[in-house]
Amino acid sequence: MVMVLLLLLLCCLMTLDCGATGEQSNTTYFVNSAVCKMPYVDPFTEDVLKIMTPKKLEKCRSDSDIIVAEYDFDMKVYRLHIREEQAVSWYKRNTTLECKYEKIVRDLINKQVDNSFRVLYRRTLTQDFLVPPDLHYALVHCAVVNGKEKRVIQSDGIAFVQDYDGRSSEELPEKIEEHPKPSVLIFGIDAMSRINLRRTMHKTFRYLQQPGWYTLQGLNKVGDNTLPNLLAMLTGYSAEDTDKICDVRKLGCFDKLPFIWKRFKDLNYTTAMAEDKMNISTFNYLKPGFIEQPVDYYLRPLLMAMMKTFNGSEFFDKNLCLGRHLTFAYLWDFAKQFIQRFIRTAKPMFGLFWTNSFSHDYFDMTFALDDLFVEYFKQFEGDGLFNRSIVILTSDHGMRYGYLRQITTGYLEERMPMFYIYLPPWFRRKYPRLVGNLVKNRNRLSSTFDIYMTLQHLLQLNSTKNADIQPMSATCPTCQSLFYRLPVNRTCEQAGITEKWCTCHPRVTVTMEPYARPMALAIIRQMNDDLVKKNLSDLCANFTLTNIIYLDHIIELNRNATADDSEQYYVIEFSTAPNIGIFEVTFSWINRTATLNMDINEISRLSIYAPDSKCVSDPISKKFCMCKNAIRINSLRAGTPN
Ligand SMILES: *[C@@H]1O[C@H](CO)[C@@H](O)[C@H](O)[C@H]1NC(C)=O
Ligand SMILES: *[C@@H]1O[C@H](CO)[C@@H](O)[C@H](O)[C@H]1NC(C)=O
Ligand SMILES: *[C@@H]1O[C@H](CO)[C@@H](O)[C@H](O)[C@H]1NC(C)=O
Ligand SMILES: *[C@@H]1O[C@H](CO)[C@@H](O)[C@H](O)[C@H]1NC(C)=O
Ligand SMILES: *[C@@H]1O[C@H](CO)[C@@H](O)[C@H](O)[C@H]1NC(C)=O
Ligand SMILES: *[C@@H]1O[C@H](CO)[C@@H](O)[C@H](O)[C@H]1NC(C)=O
Ligand SMILES: *[C@@H]1O[C@H](CO)[C@@H](O)[C@H](O)[C@H]1NC(C)=O
Ligand SMILES: *[C@@H]1O[C@H](CO)[C@@H](O)[C@H](O)[C@H]1NC(C)=O
Ligand SMILES: *[C@@H]1O[C@H](CO)[C@@H](O)[C@H](O)[C@H]1NC(C)=O
Ligand SMILES: *[C@@H]1O[C@H](CO)[C@@H](O)[C@H](O)[C@H]1NC(C)=O
Ligand SMILES: *[C@@H]1O[C@H](CO)[C@@H](O)[C@H](O)[C@H]1NC(C)=O
Ligand SMILES: *[C@@H]1O[C@H](CO)[C@@H](O)[C@H](O)[C@H]1NC(C)=O
C-alpha cells in the first residue's frame, strides 16, 4: 500500500448551517442538575464570526515524492521504490539519479534521549530495496549527479512499522465477538473544545454524528494545560499527585509513572504513541521526556531527526510543514500504517496520536485541517478500523489565550474539551447496557479522570460495577467509568475538578461594586510578592493595575450550609502595565478580614506571553514575567485592552 500522502488542495467553505445534524441549538445547559448548571455555549456568536477567517491548506512542496515506501503484506516486508520519472525535470544531459538512506535510531547514550537521534549508517539505495526488519526510521536523500557535480533534489523521512515479535502477525479469529479485548485508538487535537470543533471543523463534526459515535457534553477539564489533563486521562493522577511519586522535570520521572499504555502492554496489546510538533510535545516541552521508549511504536526519533536535519524555510508555512509534508500528515500516516499493519492480527492495538500543529496557536487554523481530517477517517474506515475498534477523538482543554479566550464565552470554552467515542457494531450488540449508560451520561458532569477509568474498564469488560475496576484513579476515587451511570447530582469535587476549573456554578457580575478594586489590588500585590519569592524581581517588572475588566461572584450550588458563609468565590479579569498583561483569577475572599486565598500558579494569563517573557524559562514564571528588557509600551499609556 502506498503511504504517500496526497495532499489535497482544499478550499474551505464556511458553511455554518450544521444545526440540522448537530446538537440541539436551543439547549441552555450542557448539564442541568441541582448542584451543577453548566451553561450551553453557542459556537456561532457574532463576536467570533466577525473575526473568523477560513484558512486554506496548501501543499508544503509542489514536486512529487521520488521515494515511496510500500508494505508487501505477502512477503511481510517494506520495500522502497524509487520513482525515477519524478526526477526527470532535474535531468540534464548525462545526469544520473543517486539516492541514499540513513538509518536513524534513538541515541541511548545522549543524556536527553528523547531529544536526540543518531545516524547509524548511510548507504546507497537500490531500486525496490527490501527494508531490513531492524530499520525503523530512515532519512532518504536523492541527488542528481553529473560528473563531479552533485545536487540533492529531495530529502524526506520515513517510518517503518516493523514486526518486533512474531505474534504481531498471528491472524485474528474469525468472529470478532469472541475477541475479549477491543483495540483502542485515541486521536487527540490539542486545545480543541467541543464548541470550536463544531465551529471550525464542520465536516469532521458531521462525520461524528454517524451511528456508533457518542459524545459527552458535560466534560470539564481538570488542569490548566496539556500535561495535567493528559496525566489525568492516562495515569489517573493529578499533576500535584504525580509530584509525590517524582518530579516530572527530572529525567526518568515519566518512565516511572503508571501510564495506561503499560497496562495495555501487560495485557498483550501492541502499543503506539506519537505527537506532531516536537518543540511543544506534552512530555518534552520544558520537560525531559522518556528515557525508555514508552511504547512499541514511537515516532519521535524520526521527527526529531527531520526537525534537526531539514531546513524548513522554503515551505508555505514552516510551523505546519516538516520534511516534505505537513507534520500532521507524518503523524496520521504513522497511525494509518499502524492500523493497516495490525488491524487483522490477533493482538489488539492501543494507540495515542496527538496533534497540536494546527490547533495550538490559532483557534481557526483547524478550518484548513477539516477536509484532510475526514479524508483520513475515511481511509481508516476503508482499512476496517471502525468494524472492530474503539476510536476516541478527544482533547485536553479549549483555547487558553488570545481572542477566543477573551470574549465572554472564553472562560467556559477553555474548560470544555471535546470527547467523542466510537463503539463498533459488535461492541454495541454485546454490551447494550454499557452503551445505554454512556448515552445517559452525555449531559452529566464528567472529567478527564473518568476517561482514565473508562480506558481501564475497556481492559476489564468482565466487571459488573465500577468498584470492580482496578486500579481506580489515585487522585479521584469517586471518578468512574463512563460506561456506568454517573450520579445526577454530581459535584465538581466528586469529579476531581477543582473550583478554579469548575463550570457548574452560576456567576453574577459585580464589577461596579466598591470591593472590586481592593480585591484586584490584593491579587496584584501577591503577584509582585511572588516575583520576589521566586527571585525574579531583577528580571521582571512589578505589575500595576490598569483596568478591571469584570468581577463575577460565583454562586456555589453545593454550598454546605454549615460552612463558613463569609468565604465567597469570585472570578476577576484585569489588565496590567507595563506592556499589556490580561489576567483572570479565581479566588476566595473573606469580606470581614479582607483575606485573599488563591493558588498563584493557577492564575490564567489570557494575553499572549511569548514576547514579554523571553528572559525566563520556567513555564509558570513565563506567565507572570514582564521582562524588564522587553518593555514595549509605556506604563502610563497602557490602557484598556479592546
Ligand atoms: C427546543 O425547545 C422546545 C421547548 O422547550 C422543545 O419543544 C424543542 O424540542 C427544542 N428543540 C430542540 C431542537 O431541542
Ligand atoms: C557524457 O559522458 C560521457 C561518458 O562519461 C562523456 O564521454 C561525455 O563527454 C559526456 N558528455 C557531456 C555533455 O558531459
Ligand atoms: C500474553 O501472551 C503470552 C504469550 O502468548 C501469554 O502467555 C499470556 O498469557 C498473555 N497474557 C495475557 C494477559 O493475555
Ligand atoms: C525547536 O527546537 C529546536 C531545538 O531543540 C530549535 O532549533 C528550533 O528553532 C525550535 N523551533 C521552534 C519553531 O521553536
Ligand atoms: C535554509 O534555506 C534558506 C532559503 O533557501 C536559506 O536562506 C538558509 O540559509 C537555509 N538555512 C540553512 C541552515 O541551511
Ligand atoms: C466493514 O464492515 C462493513 C459492513 O459490515 C463491510 O461492508 C466492510 O467491507 C467492512 N470493511 C472491512 C475493511 O472489513
Ligand atoms: C475479570 O477477569 C480478570 C482476569 O481473568 C480477573 O482477575 C478479575 O477478577 C475478573 N473480574 C471480575 C469482576 O470478575
Ligand atoms: C438532586 O438534588 C435535588 C436537590 O437536592 C433533589 O431534589 C433530587 O432528588 C436529587 N436527584 C437525585 C437523582 O438524587
Ligand atoms: C515590587 O514589588 C515588591 C513586592 O510587593 C516590592 O517589595 C518592591 O518594592 C516593588 N518594587 C518596585 C520597584 O516597586
Ligand atoms: C537571584 O537572581 C540573581 C540574578 O538574577 C542571581 O545572581 C542570584 O544568585 C539569585 N539568587 C538565588 C537565591 O537564586
Ligand atoms: C458540611 O461540613 C461539615 C463540616 O465541615 C461536614 O462535617 C459535613 O459532612 C458537610 N456536609 C456535606 C453535605 O458536605
Ligand atoms: C463586606 O462588608 C461590608 C461591611 O463590613 C459590607 O458593607 C459589604 O456589603 C460586604 N461585602 C460583601 C461582598 O459581602
Side-chain angles (χ1 to χ4, degrees):
M1 223 151 279
V2 179
M3 298 164 344
V4 174
L5 170 71
L6 292 173
L7 271 187
L8 307 169
L9 261 179
L10 304 166
C11 185
C12 282
L13 295 171
M14 217 162 101
T15 49
L16 298 179
D17 60 331
C18 23
T21 53
E23 299 163 6
Q24 303 87 323
S25 51
N26 66 352
T27 332
T28 45
Y29 294 104
F30 288 136
V31 178
N32 189 0
S33 78
V35 294
C36 184
K37 299 207 182 297
M38 184 189 286
Y40 169 79
V41 178
D42 181 357
F44 305 113
T45 50
E46 200 46 47
D47 46 5
V48 187
L49 294 186
K50 79 171 184 232
I51 65 131
M52 195 161 72
T53 46
K55 303 279 194 295
K56 201 172 142 200
L57 194 61
E58 290 176 40
K59 278 187 175 185
C60 292
R61 301 278 191 149
S62 55
D63 56 334
S64 300
D65 291 337
I66 295 174
I67 296 182
V68 292
E70 297 160 5
Y71 186 74
D72 185 323
F73 280 89
D74 296 325
M75 286 178 67
K76 299 196 191 316
V77 67
Y78 277 97
R79 188 182 291 125
L80 286 178
H81 182 67
I82 304 171
R83 303 197 296 174
E84 286 180 38
E85 69 280 8
Q86 297 301 333
V88 291
S89 60
W90 279 284
Y91 284 2
K92 293 196 213 89
R93 276 187 60 189
N94 266 10
T95 49
T96 52
L97 183 68
E98 182 185 288
C99 295
K100 300 202 179 250
Y101 73 99
E102 294 173 306
K103 176 172 179 172
I104 303 296
V105 292
R106 279 181 108 222
D107 185 3
L108 301 175
I109 299 156
N110 194 303
K111 277 202 92 149
Q112 290 266 313
V113 191
D114 239 4
N115 288 332
S116 71
F117 73 96
R118 212 142 63 89
V119 178
L120 268 199
Y121 56 74
R122 183 184 172 104
R123 289 181 187 159
T124 299
L125 194 61
T126 51
Q127 182 58 288
D128 291 327
F129 173 69
L130 298 181
V131 177
D134 64 345
L135 183 60
H136 297 276
Y137 321 104
L139 294 186
V140 293
H141 309 275
C142 287
V144 284
V145 184
N146 189 347
K148 287 209 165 115
E149 238 182 274
K150 189 179 201 176
R151 192 157 68 95
V152 175
I153 54 169
Q154 275 195 8
S155 289
D156 204 357
I158 301 179
F160 306 101
V161 175
Q162 302 276 19
D163 262 353
Y164 66 96
D165 68 12
R167 286 184 302 116
S168 317
S169 49
E170 279 169 23
E171 292 294 314
L172 191 78
E174 278 294 298
K175 278 184 74 188
I176 305 165
E177 277 87 339
E178 283 160 14
H179 203 284
K181 295 202 173 60
S183 289
V184 180
L185 279 287
I186 305 174
F187 296 95
I189 306 180
D190 199 278
M192 182 62 98
S193 68
R194 212 180 57 259
I195 297 115
N196 201 41
L197 179 89
R198 191 177 173 197
R199 181 188 288 133
T200 64
M201 298 181 77
H202 307 127
K203 290 185 179 161
T204 305
F205 178 76
R206 219 167 296 151
Y207 190 90
L208 299 170
Q209 308 309 309
Q210 298 178 96
W213 283 100
Y214 304 86
T215 191
L216 296 173
Q217 299 194 337
L219 181 66
N220 198 120
K221 75 169 184 173
V222 299
D224 186 19
N225 54 11
T226 309
L227 187 60
N229 289 295
L230 278 195
L231 285 176
M233 195 186 293
L234 300 171
T235 70
Y237 282 75
S238 66
E240 292 71 32
D241 286 343
T242 56
D243 272 352
K244 292 174 198 154
I245 301 176
C246 55
D247 181 349
V248 296
R249 287 165 304 183
K250 300 255 163 67
L251 187 63
C253 181
F254 281 133
D255 296 84
K256 290 196 194 113
L257 299 183
F259 282 104
I260 192 97
W261 54 68
K262 294 182 177 171
R263 296 267 305 156
F264 279 92
K265 182 72 197 159
D266 288 346
L267 294 171
N268 284 345
Y269 277 68
T270 305
T271 59
M273 196 259 277
E275 293 188 70
D276 54 358
K277 281 209 77 173
M278 294 296 96
N279 285 26
I280 54 170
S281 283
T282 310
F283 307 107
N284 305 86
Y285 174 67
L286 305 170
K287 302 276 184 306
F290 297 92
I291 301 176
E292 297 280 335
Q293 177 168 318
V295 286
D296 301 330
Y297 296 97
Y298 192 48
L299 185 60
R300 188 169 175 87
L302 178 70
L303 296 190
M304 219 49 224
M306 290 170 71
M307 191 182 84
K308 292 196 174 166
T309 310
F310 300 151
N311 180 355
S313 47
E314 306 126 66
F315 298 130
F316 88 95
D317 184 333
K318 70 174 181 203
N319 281 317
L320 293 180
C321 299
L322 178 73
R324 299 181 37 76
H325 301 287
L326 292 171
T327 324
F328 165 81
Y330 286 101
L331 172 62
W332 250 237
D333 278 348
F334 183 64
K336 191 169 78 186
Q337 280 192 73
F338 180 68
I339 292 164
Q340 288 177 344
R341 290 281 282 101
F342 298 122
I343 191 76
R344 262 167 277 280
T345 61
K347 286 177 79 171
M349 303 177 276
F350 171 82
L352 172 65
F353 302 97
W354 196 264
T355 175
N356 33 36
S357 57
F358 276 86
S359 54
H360 191 265
D361 296 333
Y362 306 99
F363 79 91
D364 53 359
M365 199 65 191
T366 40
F367 262 117
L369 182 60
D370 194 26
D371 288 85
L372 184 60
F373 204 83
V374 171
E375 178 69 24
Y376 270 106
F377 266 177
K378 291 200 168 141
Q379 291 183 27
F380 297 160
E381 202 177 303
D383 294 330
L385 181 68
F386 297 100
N387 283 16
R388 65 179 45 138
S389 309
I390 291 184
V391 181
I392 292 173
L393 177 63
T394 189
S395 187
D396 42 2
H397 51 72
M399 205 68 199
R400 289 167 46 231
Y401 46 76
Y403 180 86
L404 194 64
R405 182 59 182 82
Q406 287 170 38
I407 62 175
T408 36
T409 48
Y411 173 90
L412 292 168
E413 216 180 308
E414 175 192 353
R415 288 160 168 74
M416 297 176 170
M418 66 164 168
F419 181 82
Y420 289 91
I421 185 168
Y422 173 82
L423 305 174
W426 69 266
F427 188 96
R428 281 177 265 157
R429 274 195 303 273
K430 190 167 177 184
Y431 302 106
R433 292 212 17 220
L434 301 188
V435 179
N437 290 337
L438 179 66
V439 170
K440 277 275 188 304
N441 288 339
R442 187 180 82 156
N443 292 92
R444 294 190 183 167
L445 178 65
S446 55
S447 77
T448 22
F449 291 112
D450 298 322
I451 299 177
Y452 170 77
M453 290 304 291
T454 309
L455 295 174
Q456 290 280 18
H457 191 172
L458 291 173
L459 293 171
Q460 300 166 58
L461 283 165
N462 62 345
S463 73
T464 55
K465 55 186 182 306
N466 194 63
D468 292 341
I469 302 172
Q470 296 297 332
M472 53 192 186
S473 159
T475 297
C476 181
T478 45
C479 288
Q480 62 160 80
S481 164
L482 296 160
F483 291 120
Y484 291 118
R485 212 66 81 78
L486 291 166
V488 173
N489 285 338
R490 198 179 196 210
T491 63
C492 276
E493 199 185 352
Q494 285 163 346
I497 305 156
T498 57
E499 198 56 51
K500 161 84 182 170
W501 306 120
C502 181
T503 54
C504 283
H505 305 305
R507 301 192 292 166
V508 178
T509 299
V510 290
T511 315
M512 290 309 163
E513 297 294 336
Y515 47 80
R517 195 173 163 79
M519 286 174 175
L521 292 174
I523 291 164
I524 288 179
R525 202 174 313 124
Q526 202 156 318
M527 287 165 70
N528 288 336
D529 289 347
D530 193 57
L531 291 178
V532 176
K533 209 160 79 197
K534 290 188 175 136
N535 191 24
L536 291 172
S537 33
D538 286 351
L539 294 171
C540 317
N542 274 2
F543 296 100
T544 56
L545 180 67
T546 49
N547 185 34
I548 296 173
I549 299 161
Y550 72 79
L551 172 70
D552 280 4
H553 183 201
I554 297 175
I555 312 297
E556 284 173 275
L557 295 170
N558 55 330
R559 184 99 193 166
N560 185 336
T562 63
D564 181 2
D565 258 337
S566 60
E567 185 175 31
Q568 298 287 325
Y569 280 92
Y570 295 87
V571 184
I572 193 167
E573 187 180 322
F574 55 77
S575 59
T576 62
N579 294 354
I580 297 176
I582 298 177
F583 295 95
E584 183 197 85
V585 190
T586 305
F587 63 99
S588 76
W589 183 264
I590 300 173
N591 187 28
R592 195 167 36 80
T593 53
T595 311
L596 168 71
N597 202 334
M598 67 172 182
D599 180 346
I600 190 120
N601 295 333
E602 282 197 338
I603 291 180
S604 300
R605 166 83 180 259
L606 306 189
S607 48
I608 287 166
Y609 54 76
D612 298 322
S613 64
K614 293 211 168 77
C615 63
V616 293
S617 61
D618 174 69
I620 288 176
S621 303
K622 271 185 178 297
K623 288 201 297 190
F624 301 120
C625 188
M626 292 293 178
C627 292
K628 286 182 178 170
N629 63 10
I631 305 294
R632 289 165 287 125
I633 304 169
N634 185 324
S635 308
L636 295 174
R637 281 194 293 121
T640 323
N642 44 29

